[in-house]
Amino acid sequence: MRKYNLLIIFILFLFIYEPPLFKVNVLHIIGVFSWIYIFINNKSILNVMNLKTIIRTYVILFIFLIYLAIVTLYNGNSILNTFSFVYWIIDIFPISLMLCLHFSRKKYSFYDFLNILLITGSLQALTALISLISPSVKEFFLYKLINYGYSDRFIDLSNLRMYGFASNLTYSTPILQAVMASISVYLAINKGGKYIFFTPLLLFSAIINARTSFIIFAIGIFAIIIASKKINIKSIIRLSIIGVALFITINVGLSFLKNNANETYDWVLTGFNEIVNLFEDGPNQTEGYFAYINSSERYILPDDFGILFGVGERILSTNNYGVRSDIGYINDIWLGGLLYTVFIYIYFIFILNAIGRADGSNNRDTKFLYILLLGTFFVSNIKGYIFVMNNMTNLLFLIFTFIAVRKNKYKINI
């Protein structure tokens, strides 16, 4: 494994996970530097990146921003509901361009790119493990979140989870960690057994923060089965070793939780049992999250033209409409109506498709990422709203820029 620049790893960590280091969002700080970097290196950007794709990306994001701003202001709701597009325009995409220009100059292969992502993900996993072991570290991370402006409800949630140092520990961060764990398993099977050492810590950091991680990791295994090359003796041996390692990891991890964080242990076990019961008893459960999403109250839609154009408001928390739902699809319709919802999904499918077909439709590596990310985004949108600025979309824009926005695409088969 080649050596990677520690400063770039640190910037990647800040970019993907957005830890609340300061009162100002760290993305704005990196975003300013990215614009300066792009201005200074504008010729290099044009030589490396596809200008038409960059312009098209900005035009689409601006159209979404203007549409939501009109809907939001018309209905008298907070303009903050449009800020995901502001972040994508002024911070996320420019930072992605800056990082990918650096990767291009260093001649990073697809393999190098995934390596540095796994290293960055492992740093987040280490912060989760340290905060699990040390209550004082966890308290410090929690203090930084609350001091930045996040809800005090995280104090109550910290009894069960909130392990690590990121902006969205209850939702997109653990989903991202499960995606990273899936990537490490894929590389362990198709590249080398050493990658399995990334998996336990990444998966553990996901599960102790969100039980949805079980499902995301299962999607990852499905993507691996579909995209991996033909089975041979070597891959069977690697798969067996991975299976044993994961079995040991799960048992050791649960035992550790039971002895050191009993409430978290009970919470994780309850979530796992809910998933098992889903397959045994079907979706019509009377308790747990599956009972929650089966309730008709979670699927109430806005009235009149609101169902078509939205009202510029999400209903995950307290709102003026007296409706509450965690389900991302319903929240998207409340925000921008069916019109916005259909087009934002089409746009994300376009991004995912561009990743999947960037180096030819038969490339198993991009095919794996396509299946993994497609499944992750559309399943995650049941538990919350995923199609906003968060850790997962930060990663998606980075992958999109690295794979699909470059002019001279090198072969990326590992």
Side-chain angles (χ1 to χ4, degrees):
M1 186 181 291
R2 69 185 286 182
K3 293 181 179 179
Y4 301 102
N5 189 308
L6 290 177
L7 177 60
I8 296 300
I9 292 174
F10 179 64
I11 292 173
L12 262 177
F13 182 89
L14 298 180
F15 168 63
I16 294 175
Y17 294 104
E18 306 165 58
L21 288 176
F22 315 108
K23 281 282 190 179
V24 177
N25 192 310
V26 70
L27 287 178
H28 295 327
I29 299 171
I30 307 174
V32 169
F33 282 105
S34 69
W35 280 105
I36 295 172
Y37 184 86
I38 289 169
F39 179 77
I40 294 173
N41 298 278
N42 61 87
K43 291 184 178 179
S44 297
I45 287 284
L46 294 177
N47 288 333
V48 174
M49 301 296 173
N50 190 316
L51 183 59
K52 287 184 179 179
T53 306
I54 294 173
I55 293 173
R56 181 171 56 194
T57 299
Y58 270 108
V59 168
I60 292 171
L61 293 178
F62 267 112
I63 290 172
F64 278 122
L65 173 62
I66 293 167
Y67 173 83
L68 283 185
I70 292 171
V71 171
T72 300
L73 293 174
Y74 178 80
N75 288 279
N77 288 312
S78 173
I79 197 68
L80 293 176
N81 288 314
T82 68
F83 268 31
S84 282
F85 292 96
V86 176
Y87 272 96
W88 286 336
I89 290 168
I90 69 172
D91 291 329
I92 305 303
F93 197 48
I95 295 170
S96 297
L97 289 170
M98 176 186 70
L99 287 169
C100 289
L101 178 57
H102 171 80
F103 296 155
S104 177
R105 285 176 165 174
K106 295 297 182 180
K107 301 187 185 306
Y108 274 27
S109 65
F110 184 64
Y111 160 62
D112 291 318
F113 179 64
L114 293 184
N115 274 346
I116 201 168
L117 288 182
L118 289 179
I119 292 169
T120 306
S122 296
L123 288 179
Q124 178 59 230
L126 280 174
T127 68
L129 182 61
I130 292 169
S131 60
L132 176 63
I133 295 172
S134 172
S136 60
V137 172
K138 181 181 181 180
E139 186 177 341
F140 172 76
F141 289 159
L142 186 62
Y143 163 78
K144 296 295 288 184
L145 277 170
I146 303 301
N147 193 47
Y148 177 80
Y150 285 94
S151 171
D152 288 344
R153 73 185 182 89
F154 287 132
I155 296 175
D156 296 329
L157 290 175
S158 66
N159 293 326
L160 300 176
R161 41 183 173 161
M162 300 295 296
Y163 300 106
F165 195 36
S167 63
N168 203 333
L169 286 169
T170 60
Y171 182 53
S172 64
T173 300
I175 289 171
L176 174 57
Q177 294 302 92
V179 166
M180 294 281 199
S182 302
I183 292 173
S184 68
V185 173
Y186 176 81
L187 291 175
I189 293 173
N190 294 285
K191 176 62 183 178
K194 62 186 177 183
Y195 286 99
I196 194 59
F197 292 106
F198 286 102
T199 309
L201 190 58
L202 288 166
L203 186 58
F204 186 70
S205 68
I207 291 171
I208 60 176
N209 280 308
R211 299 170 299 186
T212 311
S213 307
F214 286 116
I215 297 174
I216 302 303
F217 189 66
I219 292 171
I221 299 302
F222 173 77
I224 291 167
I225 293 170
I226 297 298
S228 290
K229 58 188 177 183
K230 292 180 179 179
I231 299 296
N232 54 38
I233 296 299
K234 184 183 289 188
S235 61
I236 291 174
I237 293 173
R238 286 178 179 173
L239 191 59
S240 300
I241 294 172
I242 290 168
V244 172
L246 288 178
F247 178 79
I248 294 172
T249 298
I250 291 171
N251 280 278
V252 171
L254 287 175
S255 177
F256 180 82
L257 280 180
K258 189 174 183 179
N259 294 323
N260 296 275
N262 194 257
E263 287 183 275
T264 303
Y265 168 80
D266 291 338
W267 173 76
V268 169
L269 208 60
T270 300
F272 181 76
N273 289 333
E274 284 181 18
I275 296 171
V276 172
N277 291 337
L278 175 66
F279 291 99
E280 290 181 349
D281 305 328
N284 298 318
Q285 298 182 32
T286 57
E287 296 181 356
Y289 189 73
F290 294 109
Y292 174 90
I293 63 175
N294 275 331
S295 170
S296 59
E297 294 180 2
R298 309 307 166 194
Y299 295 89
I300 297 174
L301 298 176
D303 297 326
D304 303 323
F305 285 107
I307 193 170
L308 183 60
F309 299 109
V311 298
E313 180 71 288
R314 294 193 182 277
I315 56 168
L316 183 65
S317 55
T318 303
N319 55 77
N320 296 325
Y321 301 94
V323 180
R324 295 282 296 273
S325 178
D326 284 4
I327 299 169
Y329 297 100
I330 303 302
N331 275 269
D332 293 333
I333 294 172
W334 275 89
L335 179 66
L338 288 171
L339 188 64
Y340 163 81
T341 301
V342 168
F343 280 103
I344 195 69
Y345 296 167
I346 289 174
Y347 178 59
F348 272 85
I349 290 172
F350 164 79
I351 291 177
L352 292 168
N353 191 56
I355 292 171
R357 299 181 63 86
D359 194 41
S361 58
N362 294 320
N363 187 292
R364 61 185 172 84
D365 304 320
T366 51
K367 181 180 179 182
F368 161 70
L369 278 180
Y370 170 75
I371 297 170
L372 172 62
L373 294 173
L374 181 68
T376 296
F377 271 94
F378 284 92
V379 169
S380 299
N381 208 43
I382 298 172
K383 184 64 177 71
Y385 44 86
I386 195 71
F387 297 101
V388 295
M389 193 279 293
N390 57 46
N391 308 140
M392 271 304 301
T393 53
N394 292 356
L395 176 67
L396 179 65
F397 270 99
L398 182 64
I399 294 173
F400 171 65
T401 307
F402 181 82
I403 292 179
V405 181
R406 288 176 294 114
K407 276 183 180 177
N408 303 311
K409 302 178 178 66
Y410 21 75
K411 293 295 180 182
I412 58 177
N413 260 324
I414 297 174

